[in-house]
Amino acid sequence: MNILIVGGGGREHAIAAAVAKSPKAEKIYCAPGNAGTAAIAENVPIGVMEFDALADLAVEKKIDLAIIGPDDPLVGGIVDVFEDRGIRTFGPRANAAILEGSKAFSKNLMKKYGIPTAAYENFDDPAKALEYLETAKMPIVLKADGLALGKGVLICNTLEEAKAGINTLMVDKKFGNSGNTVVIEEFMTGREVSVLSFVDGRTVKTMSSAQDHKRAKDNDEGLNTGGMGNFSPSPFYTKEIDDFCQKNIFRPTVDAMAAEGRPFKGVIFFGLMLTDDGPKVLEYNARFGDPEAQVVLCRLENDIIDVMSACIDGKLDETDLKFSDKAAVCVVLASDGYPEHYEKGFEIKGLEAFDGKDDYFCYHAGTKLSDGKVVTNGGRVLGVTALGDNIAEARAKAYEATEWISFANKYMRTDIAKSAVK
Ligand code: AMP
Ligand code: GLY
């Protein structure tokens, strides 16, 4: 089969690596890809929002399966464009990707179908939002309705901060039209867990759980990022919690989308908080997480092409998902200064140390080839990932492997997965 993967981050490198393991994969294309995907696929320099150019490529290269990685093209309707041109595509259509594309939509869906989540109100008028805040309990959480690179969530400790936040989102429009509507929601406390799942419109099959580290600095200090590292499975996500979530969150969400005439096919990423009142949904994503894909897909034992085909054909009930018993830890090597200002274009050395080592993976995120050398090309540069018999062993191996790599301004957190090692 000819496969096209749309995207160019660590998630797409992890997807490409999983696809490359399938005996069904003949030729893999990645658009735009990075220096890591270049080693297993042919990179094509087309941006993820250039739907017509991508569809032309898929037709020209006789693509049998297109896999869409990032949220922007999914929410923007790339799957509709591809399917209308007869290209078999893994990912939700726009009317289902709205589960991630609009937080107001997802909150209303959860309310309508009784899916546990934080109490909230939606506002499209800043004056009404400010009035509501006057009597609201602090801390409180403000969320831009639309996509904002994971940065449209403000946790406000005081009324003053919350008022300033409304101005940032709704008046100054820091995240553009994403802030036209704002969700104001109750602040919850608890441990966060990510559960990714394959969905075929009717059936949902969950993958192994993971836990992300979103803040830039150790001890969860610093700004929110796309994710600085993570581990899988989460020891805090017990069988009992899973039973509850399957019955009260995962199946109801998929059923709700079908009942609304928006059948979801692809990956739903459930962002959960384990509160004292039980698990609640923090957010939905309509795709694999980055770096969640890295720690989950390296442990998937099924042929990923079979699983994705089952999702497209509505036959996921016939699939038994299998994951290795090993634990995985991913430590992101970033450019110092991320997620704000950072430099790029520095040569990366030491990548060959991963060659031929079974339990070690170096997923490229912000890298590119320049004059035959691999150079830094983004905030998150590499996702150094290792497998071990337990989280402690995987963690020790991942940190060991971070030492093999060098580049100017290399930065990482030193406490990834630390809280899971006890
Ligand atoms: P989201 O993009 O909705 O997942 O939010 C980003 C991050 O903000 C989450 O991973 C949480 O750490 C935090 N967060 C979001 N909503 C809440 C909430 N209601 N209470 C506490 N923290 C939250
Ligand atoms: N790592 C969080 C995300 O992909 O949304």
Side-chain angles (χ1 to χ4, degrees), residues 103 118 141 143 150 153 155 185-189 192 214 224 273 282-283:
K103 292 196 191 276
V141 183
K143 297 186 175 183
V153 174
I155 298 186
E185 80 176 25
E186 166 203 9
F187 176 77
M188 304 189 289
T189 52
E192 289 183 40
K214 285 207 171 82
N224 257 322
M273 189 173 268
L282 278 172
E283 64 160 349

Side-chain angles (χ1 to χ4, degrees), residues 116-164:
T117 189
Y120 74 100
E121 296 281 342
N122 296 336
F123 293 91
D124 48 25
D125 175 356
K128 293 240 166 63
L130 291 170
E131 187 187 314
Y132 173 84
L133 286 175
E134 291 290 344
T135 55
K137 193 165 156 260
M138 299 293 142
I140 199 152
V141 183
L142 313 181
K143 297 186 175 183
D145 175 50
L147 297 179
L149 295 169
K151 292 169 193 154
V153 174
L154 305 179
I155 298 186
C156 307
N157 290 307
T158 63
L159 179 59
E160 287 62 42
E161 270 180 49
K163 284 180 171 169

Side-chain angles (χ1 to χ4, degrees), residues 73-80 91-99 101 257 262:
L74 289 168
V75 170
I78 191 172
V79 177
D80 306 60
R93 291 175 74 93
N95 72 348
I98 192 175
L99 196 58
M257 290 298 282
R262 300 171 180 275

Side-chain angles (χ1 to χ4, degrees), residues 212 226 269 285 287 289-292:
D212 199 5
F269 165 147
N285 294 312
R287 50 171 174 84
D290 188 345
E292 284 79 0

Side-chain angles (χ1 to χ4, degrees), residues 5-142:
I5 298 165
V6 174
R11 163 183 47 218
E12 287 75 28
H13 188 196
I15 294 171
V19 167
K21 281 202 297 193
S22 168
K24 297 192 173 75
E26 286 163 60
K27 174 91 191 172
I28 308 171
Y29 298 88
C30 208
N34 58 36
T37 62
I40 45 180
E42 181 177 328
N43 285 349
V44 186
I46 303 178
V48 301
M49 297 306 284
E50 296 174 55
F51 298 172
D52 290 329
L54 289 168
D56 290 344
L57 173 78
V59 170
E60 182 201 322
K61 301 293 185 190
K62 301 191 167 54
I63 293 300
D64 301 294
L65 173 65
I67 304 167
I68 314 300
D71 46 1
D72 281 318
L74 289 168
V75 170
I78 191 172
V79 177
D80 306 60
V81 172
F82 274 33
E83 287 187 345
D84 290 350
R85 291 188 58 181
I87 305 158
R88 250 170 94 76
T89 308
F90 178 79
R93 291 175 74 93
N95 72 348
I98 192 175
L99 196 58
E100 171 165 7
S102 167
K103 292 196 191 276
F105 170 87
S106 70
K107 295 296 289 189
N108 289 343
L109 185 88
M110 289 186 266
K111 187 189 265 182
K112 180 170 173 187
Y113 291 90
I115 296 164
T117 189
Y120 74 100
E121 296 281 342
N122 296 336
F123 293 91
D124 48 25
D125 175 356
K128 293 240 166 63
L130 291 170
E131 187 187 314
Y132 173 84
L133 286 175
E134 291 290 344
T135 55
K137 193 165 156 260
M138 299 293 142
I140 199 152
V141 183
L142 313 181

